[in-house]
Amino acid sequence: MATNSLLCVPDGGSKRDIVFLIDGSDYVGNNDFPFVRDFLSSIIENLDIGNDRVRVGLVQFSNYAESEFYLNTYSSEDEILPHVKGLRLRGGTPLNTGAALDYVYRNHFTRSSGSRKEEGVPQLLVLITAGRSRDYIKQSVDALKRAEVTMFAVGTRNADSAQLREIASDPSLLLSVDKFRSLPHAQEQLMISMSNPPAARELTDRPSVPVNP
C-alpha cells in the first residue's frame, strides 16, 4: 500500500469490494489505452489491498465482457499491478455496456467470486468508458441497485452523459474528463468518494462533479 499519498483509503472501516469495468473497445484505441492502465494502476497503488481490507476485481468489455481477475484472485497490490500494467486493449465494436453490467452482476458480485456483501462490506462498481452503449442498460442497472451495489461512472470522449447519469448511483458519483490524458484529474474525487461512498439505500440528489483539467 502506498503510504505517502493523500488519496489512501483510511484504515478505519476500509473494507471494500471494488470491481472496475473498463471500456476496451475501439472507442478507446491503442494510443489512449495506456492512460486507462496508468489510471487504474495509480488508484490501486493508493488502496489498502488485502483479503480482509480492500478487494479488487477487473472486467474489460467491448461487444462482450471478459473477466481479467475476480475479487478473490489476488490478495496484494504486488500481485494486482503486474496484471493491470500488462493489460492489452480488447478492441472491437459495438459497445454493449448493458450486457457488461449484467456480466459483472452475475459473475463478480457473488460469494464464489469473493464478494463479502453478506458480511456487510460495501460493494462498489467503477465504470470507465469512452463511448455510447448500443444496448439497453436499465435492466442491468436496476439489478445492481437492488443488489445494493454503489456505481461510479467515469466518462470521456464519446461517452453518453445521459447513460452515465442513469448508471451512477448518485449524481456526485458521475465524473467526466475531456480526454484520456486528463484522467488523473478525476482520481482524487474518485478516491474520496470510494473511501466514503453514500450508502446504497441512502443516496441523495447531489450535484454531479465535472472534472476539468
Side-chain angles (χ1 to χ4, degrees):
M1 172 186 172
T3 57
N4 59 349
S5 172
L6 296 176
L7 301 180
C8 293
V9 173
D11 290 334
S14 65
K15 290 185 181 182
R16 302 283 185 273
D17 291 338
I18 306 172
V19 178
F20 291 94
L21 176 60
I22 63 170
D23 183 343
S25 73
D26 293 337
Y27 288 107
V28 178
N30 285 307
N31 290 336
D32 284 323
F33 194 64
F35 292 115
V36 178
R37 284 201 307 257
D38 291 346
F39 183 60
L40 284 174
S41 296
S42 183
I43 290 173
I44 289 166
E45 287 170 351
N46 287 286
L47 292 172
D48 188 12
I49 303 292
N51 274 332
D52 195 41
R53 298 186 296 279
V54 177
R55 294 183 183 180
V56 173
L58 178 62
V59 176
Q60 186 178 168
F61 77 104
S62 52
N63 57 330
Y64 67 95
E66 185 173 358
S67 299
E68 294 288 347
F69 52 87
Y70 296 90
L71 291 165
N72 56 5
T73 301
Y74 300 127
S75 59
S76 72
E77 174 188 320
D78 290 340
E79 293 175 311
I80 295 174
L81 286 177
H83 192 138
V84 172
K85 292 178 179 179
L87 287 173
R88 295 191 176 186
L89 184 79
R90 169 177 305 287
T93 53
L95 191 64
N96 292 321
T97 309
L101 291 168
D102 180 68
Y103 179 88
V104 172
Y105 167 69
R106 296 180 183 277
N107 294 280
H108 281 258
F109 289 112
T110 63
R111 184 175 181 180
S112 61
S113 296
S115 169
R116 296 168 290 174
K117 178 189 174 183
E118 295 177 359
E119 302 171 31
V121 174
Q123 307 291 288
L124 312 182
L125 170 63
V126 180
L127 169 70
I128 303 171
T129 187
R132 184 180 188 279
S133 179
R134 297 297 181 91
D135 65 353
Y136 293 106
I137 64 173
K138 187 179 188 304
Q139 185 174 353
S140 300
V141 169
D142 288 347
L144 286 160
K145 287 180 178 178
R146 286 194 298 270
E148 298 180 17
V149 175
T150 300
M151 290 173 282
F152 300 72
V154 181
T156 187
R157 192 173 286 171
N158 297 315
D160 185 288
S161 57
Q163 289 184 340
L164 295 182
R165 284 194 298 271
E166 186 174 354
I167 292 167
S169 296
D170 184 86
S172 68
L173 306 185
L174 168 57
L175 307 173
S176 63
V177 294
D178 292 334
K179 49 194 174 183
F180 284 96
R181 67 177 63 250
S182 298
L183 280 171
H185 294 286
Q187 181 178 339
E188 182 171 5
Q189 181 60 43
L190 180 60
M191 292 296 297
I192 291 171
S193 296
M194 286 196 301
S195 69
N196 188 29
R201 286 174 292 185
E202 298 176 1
L203 294 169
T204 58
D205 292 329
R206 287 174 291 180
S208 59
V209 181
V211 179
N212 298 313

